[in-house]
Amino acid sequence: MNFLNKIERYPVDHGCIGPFCEHLLCEDSRTVSLCLVGLKNILKVGEAEMSDGVNHYAQVIKEFNGFHNMENLQTRQDVGEMATKILVTYRERH
């Protein structure tokens, strides 16, 4: 595991996936955007650490309704494009 992966794993190791997914429901664009960036980075690390073709972080995000919450963001002008890119890139694979 390289240094960047260790940095990206820090939120995962400290239980941040659930709160990131929950805060996707927030009305504040900045908060939602930061959570989307955090989740995207976590998913990237999950891709690098895949075992048996499974991104385990994607599964955890799914369990916390993160992908569902991202679906609901797609119509928002402020964060919709970012949510859609994450969904297309990561949800469809798992």
Side-chain angles (χ1 to χ4, degrees):
M1 177 183 315
N2 68 34
F3 179 72
L4 288 177
N5 284 1
K6 287 181 183 179
I7 291 171
E8 297 300 338
R9 281 186 53 88
Y10 184 85
V12 173
D13 293 341
H14 290 82
C16 291
I17 291 179
F20 280 177
C21 293
E22 189 175 311
H23 280 87
L24 294 176
L25 302 173
C26 178
E27 292 298 319
D28 180 63
S29 298
R30 180 79 174 135
T31 300
V32 173
S33 180
L34 289 171
C35 290
L36 285 170
V37 169
L39 290 169
K40 181 177 90 173
N41 290 334
I42 289 167
L43 287 163
K44 282 183 190 178
V45 172
E47 291 285 304
E49 297 179 356
M50 280 179 40
S51 60
D52 300 325
V54 176
N55 182 334
H56 295 287
Y57 297 147
Q59 290 181 325
V60 174
I61 290 169
K62 184 177 180 179
E63 290 171 14
F64 281 106
N65 295 318
F67 290 124
H68 175 73
N69 293 346
M70 286 182 217
E71 287 174 7
N72 293 333
L73 295 173
Q74 291 183 91
T75 57
R76 283 181 50 173
Q77 281 194 318
D78 52 354
V79 293
E81 186 176 341
M82 187 185 320
T84 300
K85 285 181 181 179
I86 294 169
L87 287 167
V88 168
T89 303
Y90 297 101
R91 182 193 57 185
E92 303 302 325
R93 295 185 203 172
H94 307 285

